[in-house]
Amino acid sequence: MNTDLLSVQFGVLILIAGVLVLSSRGDARRRLESLTRKKALNAEAEGSAVLIASLAALVRNGSGLVEAYEELSDQRFATKEVTYDRVHTMLREWCLPDEQDEGMEAIAVALVASYRLSADSGCRASDCLRVVADMQKRQAAMKDARDGAFAMPRATVKLLSGLPILTVFLGELMGAHPLFFLFRPGAGLGCLVVGTCFYCAGLIWMRGLLNGLEKGESL
């Protein structure tokens, strides 16, 4: 009997190890597919960095700042000025899907401010655009660092979320019959209800914590 029990436990351990290995391979495959999709998107949609670089190149080649915006937006402005609405519309067409967030709004404001500074004070438009380009690079680096920092917590949350179910499954394999106890009226059903409530509350709290930290909120 002990030999059979040890065999079952050993088989379960092998099964868990296999699931973990397959899960890690699946995560690696998804990361590779994500990078592949990102490269494809970079080839199709230029992105905010390329837009700013194109504006700077047109200005260095002698084009006016308003004319550069008109050329890259494929339209002629009714008034010869750069407004927030025009820049925002152009950014929505150029930015990658993962850039359609608060960062795009900040870049739009920075581009309008650079135009105003150049038009009002006579500063070189290329220098103003270079400052905006540096800001965009910092934003991209911060986003990459944030995504890398949250990769491990997300994986840990997924692993811990599955532990209660795995524990019940192992208990059934070992002959402890936890399901019979949990669904029996009385203490078992009370433990199931209380445990489920804490489990759901923990998932909601962790999701809110991660989402809040990603948005830069202080929880």
Side-chain angles (χ1 to χ4, degrees):
M1 183 67 181
N2 292 333
T3 304
D4 295 338
L5 182 59
L6 289 176
S7 300
V8 171
Q9 292 177 350
F10 184 71
V12 170
L13 290 176
I14 294 178
L15 177 63
I16 295 174
V19 170
L20 291 176
V21 171
L22 291 177
S23 177
S24 62
R25 290 184 177 179
D27 292 340
R29 184 173 62 254
R30 285 191 293 271
R31 287 194 296 269
L32 180 60
E33 292 175 353
S34 177
L35 289 174
T36 304
R37 287 195 300 268
K38 188 173 182 180
K39 290 181 179 180
L41 288 172
N42 283 330
E44 297 174 359
E46 288 80 358
S48 58
V50 179
L51 171 62
I52 298 171
S54 300
L55 287 171
L58 289 173
V59 170
R60 286 195 300 268
N61 290 333
S63 176
L65 195 53
V66 176
E67 289 75 14
Y69 278 98
E70 289 179 335
E71 181 174 347
L72 293 179
S73 60
D74 293 329
Q75 61 180 339
R76 295 302 174 190
F77 298 153
T79 57
K80 291 296 182 179
E81 62 176 345
V82 177
T83 63
Y84 174 82
D85 292 335
R86 292 169 179 171
V87 174
H88 189 270
T89 301
M90 185 170 58
L91 281 173
R92 290 184 64 87
E93 296 175 355
W94 279 73
C95 286
L96 300 172
D98 59 351
E99 292 179 332
Q100 306 281 344
D101 53 13
E102 294 83 357
M104 187 184 72
E105 307 290 337
I107 293 175
V109 173
L111 286 173
V112 175
S114 67
Y115 164 76
R116 292 295 182 187
L117 180 63
S118 177
D120 295 342
S121 66
C123 296
R124 293 177 55 185
S126 58
D127 294 336
C128 298
L129 290 173
R130 186 171 63 250
V131 175
V132 179
D134 293 338
M135 185 197 75
Q136 188 275 334
K137 291 178 182 178
R138 288 193 297 270
Q139 283 187 351
M142 290 176 60
K143 185 178 184 302
D144 292 340
R146 184 171 62 249
D147 292 342
F150 279 100
M152 184 59 68
R154 290 194 191 100
T156 304
V157 169
K158 291 180 180 179
L159 177 62
L160 294 179
S161 299
L163 282 182
I165 300 175
L166 180 61
T167 302
V168 173
F169 177 71
L170 290 177
E172 288 292 333
L173 290 180
M174 297 174 63
H177 305 297
L179 291 177
F180 175 77
F181 170 77
L182 291 174
F183 287 97
R184 185 176 59 184
L189 190 59
C191 291
L192 177 61
V193 172
V194 174
T196 302
C197 291
F198 277 110
Y199 178 77
C200 294
L203 290 180
I204 295 173
W205 178 72
M206 288 300 301
R207 182 179 296 275
L209 180 64
L210 290 176
N211 291 339
L213 291 176
E214 286 178 355
K215 295 177 181 178
E217 299 174 354
S218 58
L219 300 180

